[in-house]
Amino acid sequence: LTVTGVTDVGSVDEGTLVIYTSCGEMTVKGEELQVVELSLDAGRITAEGKVDEVRYADPVKKESGFFTRFFG
């Protein structure tokens, strides 16, 4: 599994990877997961193992202007 747009890595263990990307927080669940390459400068992480699930956290809704606060 290779992910691009990586800005940070939250946690890594054999069952779960928490990765922060330009699109939000991504959680990868599986078995025997291990990071084989990480380059935050290039914004890339490569992991090996059995991947069972890839999920993005719900994005945080940003309130900005009047109409967003009024109608959103």
Side-chain angles (χ1 to χ4, degrees):
L1 171 72
T2 298
V3 178
T4 59
V6 175
T7 58
D8 200 3
V9 177
S11 64
V12 176
D13 64 42
E14 289 186 351
T16 306
L17 305 175
V18 178
I19 305 165
Y20 298 99
T21 73
S22 55
C23 294
E25 181 183 310
M26 172 188 282
T27 302
V28 179
K29 293 189 177 190
E31 298 174 22
E32 299 179 8
L33 298 174
Q34 57 182 330
V35 175
V36 295
E37 179 188 4
L38 172 63
S39 174
L40 293 179
D41 291 333
R44 183 178 55 245
I45 188 170
T46 301
E48 292 180 343
K50 180 181 179 224
V51 175
D52 294 324
E53 177 183 343
V54 177
R55 175 174 36 115
Y56 274 98
D58 291 335
V60 177
K61 187 176 179 181
K62 293 183 181 179
E63 293 186 21
S64 54
F66 169 78
F67 290 105
T68 301
R69 287 192 304 267
F70 188 74
F71 294 108

